Coordinates of all heavy atoms in Angstrom, one line a residue:
M205 N 0.8 -1.2 0.0 CA 0.0 0.0 0.0 C 0.9 1.2 0.0 O 2.0 1.3 0.6 CB -0.9 -0.1 1.2 CG -1.9 1.1 1.3 SD -3.1 0.8 2.6 CE -3.5 2.4 3.0
G206 N 0.4 2.3 -0.6 CA 1.2 3.5 -0.8 C 1.1 4.4 0.5 O 0.6 4.0 1.5
L207 N 1.7 5.5 0.4 CA 1.8 6.5 1.5 C 0.4 7.1 1.7 O -0.3 7.5 0.7 CB 2.8 7.5 1.3 CG 4.3 7.1 1.3 CD1 5.2 8.3 0.9 CD2 4.6 6.6 2.7
T208 N 0.0 7.3 2.9 CA -1.2 8.1 3.2 C -0.9 9.5 3.3 O 0.3 9.9 3.5 CB -1.9 7.5 4.5 OG1 -1.0 7.9 5.6 CG2 -2.2 6.1 4.5
N209 N -1.9 10.4 3.4 CA -1.7 11.8 3.6 C -1.0 12.1 5.0 O -0.2 12.9 5.1 CB -3.1 12.5 3.6 CG -3.6 12.7 2.2 OD1 -2.9 12.4 1.2 ND2 -4.8 13.2 2.1
N210 N -1.3 11.2 6.0 CA -0.7 11.3 7.3 C 0.8 11.1 7.2 O 1.6 11.8 7.8 CB -1.4 10.4 8.3 CG -2.8 10.7 8.6 OD1 -3.6 10.8 7.7 ND2 -3.1 11.0 9.9
D211 N 1.2 10.0 6.4 CA 2.6 9.7 6.2 C 3.3 10.8 5.6 O 4.4 11.2 6.0 CB 2.7 8.4 5.4 CG 2.1 7.2 6.1 OD1 2.1 7.2 7.3 OD2 1.7 6.2 5.4
I212 N 2.7 11.4 4.5 CA 3.3 12.5 3.8 C 3.5 13.7 4.7 O 4.6 14.4 4.8 CB 2.5 12.9 2.6 CG1 2.5 11.7 1.6 CG2 3.0 14.1 1.9 CD1 1.5 11.8 0.4
F213 N 2.5 14.0 5.5 CA 2.5 15.1 6.4 C 3.6 15.0 7.5 O 4.4 15.9 7.7 CB 1.1 15.2 7.1 CG 0.8 16.6 7.6 CD1 -0.5 16.8 8.1 CD2 1.6 17.7 7.6 CE1 -0.9 18.1 8.5 CE2 1.2 19.0 8.0 CZ 0.0 19.1 8.5
K214 N 3.7 13.7 8.0 CA 4.8 13.4 9.0 C 6.1 13.6 8.4 O 7.0 14.2 9.0 CB 4.6 12.0 9.5 CG 3.5 11.8 10.4 CD 3.4 10.3 10.8 CE 2.1 9.9 11.5 NZ 1.9 8.5 11.7
K215 N 6.3 13.1 7.2 CA 7.6 13.1 6.5 C 8.1 14.6 6.2 O 9.2 15.0 6.4 CB 7.7 12.3 5.3 CG 7.6 10.8 5.6 CD 7.7 10.0 4.3 CE 7.6 8.5 4.6 NZ 8.8 8.0 5.3
L216 N 7.1 15.4 5.8 CA 7.4 16.8 5.5 C 7.7 17.5 6.9 O 8.6 18.4 6.9 CB 6.2 17.5 4.8 CG 6.0 17.1 3.4 CD1 4.7 17.6 2.9 CD2 7.1 17.6 2.6
R217 N 7.0 17.1 7.9 CA 7.2 17.8 9.2 C 8.7 17.5 9.7 O 9.4 18.4 10.1 CB 6.3 17.2 10.2 CG 6.4 17.8 11.6 CD 5.5 17.1 12.6 NE 5.6 17.7 13.8 CZ 5.1 17.2 15.0 NH1 4.5 16.0 14.9 NH2 5.2 17.8 16.1
V218 N 9.1 16.3 9.6 CA 10.5 15.9 10.0 C 11.5 16.5 9.1 O 12.5 17.0 9.5 CB 10.6 14.4 10.0 CG1 12.0 13.9 10.3 CG2 9.7 13.7 11.1
A219 N 11.3 16.4 7.8 CA 12.2 16.9 6.8 C 12.5 18.4 6.9 O 13.7 18.9 6.8 CB 11.8 16.6 5.3
H220 N 11.5 19.2 7.3 CA 11.6 20.6 7.4 C 11.8 21.1 8.9 O 11.8 22.3 9.2 CB 10.4 21.4 6.8 CG 10.4 21.3 5.3 ND1 11.2 22.0 4.5 CD2 9.7 20.5 4.5 CE1 11.0 21.7 3.2 NE2 10.1 20.7 3.2
K221 N 11.9 20.1 9.8 CA 12.1 20.3 11.2 C 11.1 21.3 11.7 O 11.4 22.4 12.4 CB 13.5 20.9 11.4 CG 14.6 19.9 11.0 CD 15.9 20.5 11.2 CE 17.0 19.6 10.6 NZ 18.3 20.2 10.5
L222 N 9.8 21.0 11.5 CA 8.7 21.9 11.9 C 8.1 21.4 13.2 O 7.9 20.3 13.4 CB 7.6 21.9 10.8 CG 8.1 22.5 9.4 CD1 6.9 22.2 8.4 CD2 8.4 23.9 9.5
R223 N 7.7 22.4 14.1 CA 7.0 22.2 15.3 C 5.5 22.4 15.0 O 5.1 23.0 13.9 CB 7.5 23.0 16.4 CG 8.9 22.7 16.8 CD 9.4 23.7 17.8 NE 10.7 23.2 18.3 CZ 11.0 23.1 19.6 NH1 10.1 23.5 20.5 NH2 12.2 22.7 20.0
D224 N 4.7 22.1 15.9 CA 3.2 22.3 15.8 C 2.9 23.8 15.6 O 2.1 24.2 14.7 CB 2.5 21.8 17.0 CG 2.4 20.3 17.0 OD1 2.7 19.6 16.0 OD2 2.1 19.8 18.1
D225 N 3.6 24.7 16.3 CA 3.4 26.1 16.1 C 3.8 26.6 14.8 O 3.1 27.4 14.2 CB 4.3 26.9 17.1 CG 3.9 26.7 18.6 OD1 2.7 26.5 18.8 OD2 4.7 26.9 19.5
D226 N 4.8 26.0 14.2 CA 5.3 26.4 12.8 C 4.2 26.0 11.8 O 3.9 26.7 10.9 CB 6.6 25.7 12.5 CG 7.7 26.1 13.4 OD1 7.7 27.2 13.9 OD2 8.6 25.2 13.6
I227 N 3.6 24.8 12.0 CA 2.7 24.3 11.0 C 1.4 25.1 11.1 O 0.7 25.4 10.1 CB 2.4 22.8 11.3 CG1 3.6 21.9 11.0 CG2 1.2 22.3 10.5 CD1 3.5 20.5 11.4
V228 N 1.0 25.5 12.3 CA -0.2 26.4 12.5 C 0.0 27.7 11.8 O -0.8 28.2 11.0 CB -0.5 26.6 14.0 CG1 -1.5 27.7 14.2 CG2 -1.0 25.3 14.7
K229 N 1.2 28.3 11.9 CA 1.5 29.5 11.3 C 1.6 29.4 9.7 O 1.1 30.3 9.0 CB 2.9 30.1 11.8 CG 2.8 30.6 13.2 CD 4.2 31.1 13.7 CE 4.1 31.4 15.2 NZ 5.5 31.7 15.7
I230 N 2.1 28.3 9.3 CA 2.2 28.0 7.9 C 0.8 27.9 7.2 O 0.5 28.4 6.2 CB 3.0 26.8 7.5 CG1 4.5 27.1 7.8 CG2 2.8 26.2 6.2 CD1 5.4 25.8 7.8
C231 N -0.1 27.2 8.0 CA -1.5 27.1 7.5 C -2.2 28.4 7.4 O -3.0 28.7 6.6 CB -2.2 26.1 8.3 SG -1.7 24.4 8.0
L232 N -1.9 29.3 8.4 CA -2.4 30.6 8.5 C -2.1 31.5 7.3 O -2.8 32.5 6.9 CB -2.1 31.4 9.8 CG -2.9 30.8 11.0 CD1 -2.4 31.5 12.3 CD2 -4.4 31.0 10.8
L233 N -0.9 31.2 6.6 CA -0.5 31.9 5.5 C -1.5 31.8 4.3 O -1.5 32.7 3.5 CB 0.9 31.5 5.0 CG 2.1 31.8 6.0 CD1 3.3 31.1 5.5 CD2 2.3 33.3 6.0
V234 N -2.2 30.7 4.3 CA -3.2 30.6 3.3 C -4.7 30.7 3.9 O -5.6 30.1 3.3 CB -3.1 29.2 2.5 CG1 -1.8 29.3 1.7 CG2 -3.0 28.0 3.4
D235 N -4.8 31.4 5.0 CA -6.1 31.5 5.7 C -6.7 30.3 6.0 O -8.0 30.1 5.9 CB -7.0 32.4 4.9 CG -6.5 33.8 4.6 OD1 -5.7 34.3 5.6 OD2 -6.6 34.4 3.6
F236 N -6.0 29.2 6.5 CA -6.5 28.0 6.9 C -6.2 27.7 8.3 O -5.0 27.7 8.7 CB -6.0 26.8 6.0 CG -6.6 25.5 6.3 CD1 -7.8 25.2 5.8 CD2 -5.9 24.5 7.0 CE1 -8.4 23.9 6.0 CE2 -6.5 23.3 7.3 CZ -7.7 23.0 6.8
K237 N -7.2 27.6 9.2 CA -7.0 27.4 10.6 C -7.0 25.9 10.9 O -7.8 25.2 10.6 CB -8.0 28.1 11.4 CG -8.0 29.6 11.2 CD -9.0 30.3 12.1 CE -8.9 31.8 11.8 NZ -9.9 32.6 12.6
V238 N -5.9 25.6 11.7 CA -5.8 24.2 12.2 C -5.2 24.3 13.7 O -4.4 25.2 13.9 CB -4.9 23.3 11.3 CG1 -3.4 23.8 11.2 CG2 -4.9 21.9 11.7
T239 N -5.7 23.5 14.6 CA -5.3 23.6 15.9 C -4.2 22.6 16.2 O -4.0 21.6 15.5 CB -6.5 23.3 16.9 OG1 -6.9 22.0 16.7 CG2 -7.6 24.3 16.6
K240 N -3.5 22.8 17.3 CA -2.4 21.9 17.7 C -3.0 20.5 18.1 O -2.4 19.5 17.8 CB -1.7 22.5 19.0 CG -0.8 23.6 18.6 CD -0.1 24.0 19.9 CE 0.7 25.3 19.7 NZ 1.4 25.7 21.0
S241 N -4.2 20.5 18.6 CA -4.8 19.2 19.0 C -5.1 18.4 17.7 O -5.0 17.1 17.7 CB -6.0 19.3 19.8 OG -7.0 20.2 19.2
E242 N -5.6 19.1 16.6 CA -5.8 18.4 15.4 C -4.5 17.9 14.8 O -4.5 16.7 14.3 CB -6.4 19.4 14.4 CG -7.9 19.7 14.6 CD -8.4 20.7 13.6 OE1 -7.8 21.8 13.5 OE2 -9.5 20.4 13.0
L243 N -3.5 18.6 14.9 CA -2.2 18.2 14.4 C -1.7 16.9 15.1 O -1.2 16.0 14.6 CB -1.1 19.3 14.5 CG -1.3 20.5 13.6 CD1 -0.3 21.6 13.9 CD2 -1.3 20.1 12.1
G244 N -1.9 17.0 16.5 CA -1.5 15.8 17.3 C -2.3 14.5 16.9 O -1.7 13.4 16.8
A245 N -3.5 14.7 16.5 CA -4.3 13.6 16.0 C -3.8 13.0 14.7 O -3.8 11.8 14.5 CB -5.8 14.0 15.9
F246 N -3.2 13.9 13.9 CA -2.7 13.5 12.5 C -1.4 12.7 12.7 O -1.1 11.8 11.9 CB -2.4 14.6 11.6 CG -3.7 15.4 11.3 CD1 -3.7 16.8 11.2 CD2 -4.9 14.8 10.9 CE1 -4.8 17.6 10.8 CE2 -6.1 15.5 10.6 CZ -6.0 16.9 10.6
F247 N -0.6 13.1 13.7 CA 0.7 12.5 13.9 C 0.7 11.3 14.8 O 1.7 10.8 15.1 CB 1.7 13.6 14.4 CG 1.8 14.7 13.4 CD1 1.7 16.1 13.8 CD2 2.0 14.5 12.1 CE1 1.9 17.1 13.0 CE2 2.1 15.6 11.2 CZ 2.1 16.9 11.6
R248 N -0.5 10.9 15.3 CA -0.5 9.8 16.2 C -0.3 8.4 15.4 O -0.5 8.4 14.2 CB -1.8 9.7 17.0 CG -2.0 10.8 17.9 CD -3.3 10.7 18.7 NE -3.6 11.9 19.5 CZ -3.2 12.1 20.7 NH1 -2.3 11.3 21.3 NH2 -3.5 13.2 21.3
N249 N -0.1 7.3 16.2 CA -0.2 6.0 15.6 C -1.5 5.7 15.1 O -2.5 6.1 15.8 CB 0.3 5.0 16.6 CG 0.6 3.7 16.1 OD1 0.0 3.3 15.1 ND2 1.5 3.0 16.7
E250 N -1.7 5.0 14.0 CA -3.0 4.6 13.5 C -3.8 3.8 14.4 O -5.1 3.8 14.4 CB -2.8 3.8 12.2 CG -2.3 4.6 11.1 CD -2.1 3.7 9.8 OE1 -2.9 2.8 9.6 OE2 -1.3 4.1 8.9
N251 N -3.2 3.1 15.4 CA -3.9 2.3 16.4 C -4.4 3.1 17.6 O -5.2 2.6 18.4 CB -3.1 1.1 16.8 CG -2.6 0.2 15.7 OD1 -3.4 0.0 14.7 ND2 -1.4 -0.3 15.8
H252 N -4.0 4.3 17.7 CA -4.4 5.1 18.8 C -5.9 5.5 18.7 O -6.3 5.8 17.6 CB -3.5 6.4 18.8 CG -3.6 7.1 20.1 ND1 -4.7 8.0 20.4 CD2 -2.8 7.1 21.3 CE1 -4.5 8.5 21.6 NE2 -3.3 8.0 22.2
P253 N -6.6 5.6 19.8 CA -8.0 5.9 19.7 C -8.3 7.3 19.2 O -9.4 7.6 18.7 CB -8.6 5.7 21.1 CG -7.4 5.5 22.0 CD -6.3 5.2 21.1
K254 N -7.4 8.2 19.4 CA -7.6 9.7 19.0 C -6.9 9.9 17.6 O -6.9 11.1 17.2 CB -6.9 10.6 20.0 CG -7.5 10.4 21.4 CD -8.6 11.4 21.7 CE -9.0 11.3 23.1 NZ -10.0 12.2 23.5
Y255 N -6.5 8.9 16.9 CA -5.9 9.1 15.6 C -7.0 9.7 14.6 O -8.2 9.2 14.7 CB -5.4 7.7 15.1 CG -5.0 7.7 13.6 CD1 -3.8 8.2 13.3 CD2 -5.8 7.2 12.6 CE1 -3.4 8.2 11.9 CE2 -5.5 7.2 11.3 CZ -4.2 7.7 11.0 OH -3.8 7.7 9.7
M256 N -6.6 10.5 13.8 CA -7.6 11.1 12.8 C -6.8 11.1 11.4 O -5.6 11.4 11.3 CB -7.9 12.5 13.2 CG -9.1 13.1 12.5 SD -9.7 14.6 13.3 CE -8.5 15.8 12.8
E257 N -7.5 10.7 10.4 CA -7.0 10.8 9.0 C -6.9 12.2 8.5 O -7.7 13.0 8.8 CB -7.8 9.9 8.1 CG -7.7 8.4 8.2 CD -8.4 7.7 7.1 OE1 -8.5 8.3 6.0 OE2 -8.7 6.5 7.3
C258 N -5.7 12.4 7.9 CA -5.5 13.7 7.3 C -6.2 13.8 5.9 O -5.8 13.0 5.0 CB -4.0 14.0 7.2 SG -3.6 15.5 6.4
G259 N -7.1 14.7 5.8 CA -7.8 14.8 4.5 C -7.0 15.5 3.4 O -6.0 16.2 3.7
D260 N -7.5 15.4 2.2 CA -6.8 16.1 1.1 C -6.8 17.6 1.3 O -5.8 18.2 0.9 CB -7.5 15.7 -0.2 CG -7.4 14.3 -0.6 OD1 -6.5 13.6 -0.1 OD2 -8.2 13.8 -1.4
Q261 N -7.9 18.2 1.8 CA -7.9 19.7 1.9 C -6.8 20.1 2.9 O -6.2 21.2 2.7 CB -9.3 20.0 2.4 CG -9.5 21.5 2.6 CD -10.8 21.9 3.2 OE1 -11.5 21.1 3.6 NE2 -11.1 23.2 3.1
I262 N -6.7 19.4 4.0 CA -5.7 19.8 5.0 C -4.3 19.8 4.4 O -3.5 20.7 4.6 CB -5.8 19.0 6.3 CG1 -7.2 19.2 6.9 CG2 -4.7 19.2 7.2 CD1 -7.6 18.2 7.9
L263 N -4.0 18.7 3.8 CA -2.7 18.5 3.2 C -2.4 19.6 2.1 O -1.3 20.1 2.0 CB -2.4 17.1 2.7 CG -1.0 16.8 2.2 CD1 0.0 16.9 3.3 CD2 -1.0 15.3 1.6
R264 N -3.4 19.8 1.3 CA -3.3 20.8 0.2 C -3.0 22.2 0.8 O -2.1 22.8 0.3 CB -4.6 20.8 -0.7 CG -4.4 21.7 -1.8 CD -5.8 21.9 -2.6 NE -6.8 22.6 -1.8 CZ -7.9 22.1 -1.5 NH1 -8.3 20.8 -1.8 NH2 -8.8 22.8 -0.7
N265 N -3.8 22.5 1.8 CA -3.5 23.9 2.4 C -2.2 24.0 3.0 O -1.5 25.0 2.9 CB -4.7 24.2 3.3 CG -5.9 24.7 2.6 OD1 -5.9 25.6 1.9 ND2 -7.0 23.9 2.8
F266 N -1.7 22.9 3.7 CA -0.4 22.9 4.3 C 0.7 23.1 3.2 O 1.6 23.9 3.4 CB -0.2 21.7 5.1 CG 1.2 21.6 5.6 CD1 1.8 22.4 6.5 CD2 2.1 20.6 5.0 CE1 3.1 22.3 6.9 CE2 3.4 20.5 5.4 CZ 3.9 21.3 6.3
L267 N 0.5 22.3 2.1 CA 1.5 22.4 1.1 C 1.6 23.8 0.4 O 2.6 24.4 0.1 CB 1.3 21.4 0.0 CG 1.5 19.9 0.4 CD1 1.0 18.9 -0.7 CD2 3.0 19.7 0.7
N268 N 0.4 24.4 0.2 CA 0.4 25.8 -0.4 C 0.9 26.8 0.6 O 1.7 27.7 0.2 CB -1.1 26.1 -0.7 CG -1.6 25.5 -1.9 OD1 -0.9 25.0 -2.8 ND2 -2.9 25.3 -1.9
G269 N 0.7 26.6 1.9 CA 1.3 27.5 2.9 C 2.8 27.3 3.0 O 3.6 28.2 3.2
L270 N 3.3 26.0 2.8 CA 4.7 25.7 2.9 C 5.4 26.4 1.7 O 6.5 26.9 1.9 CB 4.9 24.2 2.8 CG 6.3 23.7 3.1 CD1 6.8 24.1 4.4 CD2 6.4 22.2 3.0
I271 N 4.8 26.4 0.6 CA 5.4 27.1 -0.6 C 5.6 28.6 -0.3 O 6.7 29.1 -0.5 CB 4.5 26.9 -1.9 CG1 4.6 25.5 -2.3 CG2 4.9 27.8 -2.9 CD1 3.5 25.1 -3.4
I272 N 4.6 29.2 0.3 CA 4.7 30.6 0.6 C 5.8 30.8 1.7 O 6.6 31.7 1.7 CB 3.3 31.1 1.1 CG1 2.4 31.2 0.0 CG2 3.5 32.6 1.7 CD1 1.0 31.5 0.4
H273 N 5.8 29.9 2.7 CA 6.8 29.9 3.8 C 8.2 29.8 3.3 O 9.1 30.6 3.7 CB 6.5 28.8 4.8 CG 7.5 28.7 5.9 ND1 7.6 29.6 6.9 CD2 8.5 27.8 6.1 CE1 8.5 29.2 7.8 NE2 9.0 28.1 7.3
L274 N 8.4 29.0 2.3 CA 9.8 28.7 1.8 C 10.2 29.7 0.7 O 11.4 30.2 0.8 CB 9.9 27.3 1.2 CG 9.7 26.2 2.3 CD1 9.7 24.9 1.6 CD2 10.8 26.2 3.3
R275 N 9.3 30.1 -0.1 CA 9.6 31.0 -1.3 C 9.3 32.5 -1.1 O 9.8 33.3 -1.7 CB 8.9 30.5 -2.5 CG 9.3 29.3 -3.1 CD 8.6 29.1 -4.4 NE 8.8 27.7 -4.9 CZ 8.1 27.2 -5.9 NH1 7.2 27.9 -6.5 NH2 8.3 26.0 -6.3
G276 N 8.3 32.7 -0.2 CA 7.8 34.0 0.0 C 6.5 34.2 -0.8 O 6.2 33.3 -1.7
P277 N 5.8 35.2 -0.6 CA 4.5 35.4 -1.4 C 4.9 35.7 -2.8 O 5.9 36.3 -3.1 CB 3.8 36.6 -0.7 CG 4.9 37.3 0.1 CD 6.0 36.2 0.4
M278 N 3.9 35.4 -3.7 CA 4.0 35.7 -5.1 C 4.0 37.2 -5.3 O 3.1 37.8 -4.7 CB 2.9 35.0 -5.9 CG 3.2 33.5 -6.2 SD 1.9 32.9 -7.3 CE 2.5 33.6 -8.8
P279 N 4.9 37.7 -6.1 CA 4.7 39.1 -6.4 C 3.5 39.4 -7.2 O 3.0 38.6 -8.0 CB 6.0 39.4 -7.3 CG 6.4 38.1 -7.8 CD 5.9 37.0 -6.8
E280 N 2.9 40.6 -7.0 CA 1.7 40.9 -7.8 C 2.0 41.1 -9.2 O 3.0 41.6 -9.6 CB 1.1 42.2 -7.3 CG 0.5 42.1 -5.9 CD -0.2 43.3 -5.4 OE1 -0.6 44.1 -6.3 OE2 -0.3 43.5 -4.2
K281 N 1.1 40.6 -10.1 CA 1.3 40.8 -11.6 C 1.0 42.2 -11.9 O -0.1 42.7 -11.5 CB 0.4 39.8 -12.3 CG 0.8 38.3 -12.1 CD 0.0 37.4 -12.9 CE 0.4 36.0 -12.6 NZ -0.3 35.0 -13.4
K282 N 1.8 42.7 -12.7 CA 1.6 44.1 -13.2 C 0.9 44.0 -14.6 O 1.1 43.1 -15.4 CB 2.9 44.8 -13.4 CG 3.7 45.0 -12.1 CD 5.0 45.7 -12.4 CE 5.8 45.8 -11.0 NZ 7.1 46.3 -11.3
D283 N 0.0 45.0 -14.8 CA -0.6 45.0 -16.1 C 0.4 45.5 -17.2 O 0.9 46.6 -17.1 CB -1.8 46.0 -16.1 CG -3.0 45.4 -15.2 OD1 -3.0 44.2 -15.1 OD2 -3.8 46.2 -14.8
T284 N 0.7 44.7 -18.1 CA 1.6 45.0 -19.1 C 0.9 45.3 -20.4 O -0.1 44.6 -20.7 CB 2.7 43.9 -19.4 OG1 2.0 42.7 -19.7 CG2 3.5 43.7 -18.1
P285 N 1.2 46.4 -21.0 CA 0.5 46.7 -22.3 C 0.8 45.6 -23.3 O 1.9 45.1 -23.5 CB 1.1 48.1 -22.7 CG 2.3 48.2 -21.9 CD 2.3 47.3 -20.7
K286 N -0.3 45.3 -24.0 CA -0.1 44.2 -25.1 C 0.5 44.9 -26.3 O 0.1 46.0 -26.6 CB -1.5 43.7 -25.4 CG -2.1 42.9 -24.3 CD -3.4 42.3 -24.7 CE -4.0 41.6 -23.5 NZ -5.3 41.1 -23.8
P287 N 1.4 44.2 -27.0 CA 1.9 44.8 -28.2 C 0.8 45.0 -29.3 O 0.0 44.1 -29.4 CB 3.0 43.8 -28.7 CG 2.7 42.5 -27.9 CD 1.9 42.9 -26.7
S288 N 0.8 46.1 -29.9 CA -0.2 46.3 -30.9 C 0.3 45.8 -32.3 O 1.5 45.7 -32.5 CB -0.4 47.8 -31.1 OG 0.7 48.5 -31.5
N289 N -0.7 45.4 -33.1 CA -0.4 44.9 -34.4 C -0.4 46.0 -35.5 O -0.5 45.7 -36.7 CB -1.4 43.8 -34.7 CG -1.2 42.6 -33.8 OD1 -0.1 42.3 -33.3 ND2 -2.2 41.8 -33.7
N290 N -0.4 47.2 -35.1 CA -0.5 48.3 -36.0 C 0.9 48.8 -36.4 O 1.3 49.9 -36.2 CB -1.3 49.5 -35.4 CG -2.7 49.1 -35.1 OD1 -3.2 48.2 -35.7 ND2 -3.3 49.8 -34.2
T291 N 1.7 48.0 -37.0 CA 3.0 48.3 -37.4 C 3.0 48.9 -38.8 O 2.4 48.2 -39.7 CB 4.0 47.1 -37.3 OG1 3.5 46.1 -38.1 CG2 4.2 46.7 -35.9
K292 N 3.5 50.1 -39.1 CA 3.5 50.6 -40.4 C 4.9 50.9 -40.9 O 5.8 51.2 -40.2 CB 2.7 51.9 -40.4 CG 1.3 51.7 -40.1 CD 0.5 53.0 -40.2 CE -0.9 52.7 -40.0 NZ -1.7 53.9 -40.1

């Protein structure tokens, strides 16, 4: 069987040396609120009674926030004038 969202989340947490506070702040970068207790439930053993599966939406928002955290926010696009075809 492949990796679950929980496995991916755990591996990213370890690879980037993130604490629960860091993950909460990263999720807030994309206006997604997650609590420390929810994070604890995601990182528990599957056999634990308080274990919770990490859904696609949670992982997606964390990944989007991680991109902003690592790269910084995207610069605003400027309106560039389109080249005209009126060449004479």
Side-chain angles (χ1 to χ4, degrees):
M205 187 171 149
L207 292 174
T208 65
N209 286 351
N210 293 59
D211 295 333
I212 294 167
F213 207 173
K214 288 177 193 175
K215 289 181 182 294
L216 287 169
R217 178 184 187 198
V218 171
H220 290 282
K221 300 176 186 170
L222 299 172
R223 295 177 171 227
D224 288 346
D225 291 334
D226 300 328
I227 295 172
V228 169
K229 289 176 186 174
I230 288 171
C231 288
L232 285 175
L233 292 173
V234 290
D235 298 326
F236 185 77
K237 294 182 182 178
V238 64
T239 63
K240 288 183 186 181
S241 59
E242 286 177 307
L243 293 175
F246 297 140
F247 300 132
R248 293 184 191 275
N249 188 333
E250 290 181 26
N251 300 328
H252 194 279
K254 301 263 183 176
Y255 171 82
M256 197 166 75
E257 283 190 28
C258 178
D260 293 340
Q261 179 184 13
I262 295 166
L263 186 60
R264 182 185 72 239
N265 282 301
F266 170 71
L267 290 172
N268 288 334
L270 187 61
I271 290 168
I272 294 170
H273 175 73
L274 295 174
R275 291 186 191 168
M278 280 188 71
E280 291 186 24
K281 294 184 178 182
K282 297 178 183 174
D283 290 336
T284 54
K286 295 180 182 179
S288 64
N289 292 334
N290 298 337
T291 54
K292 293 184 179 179

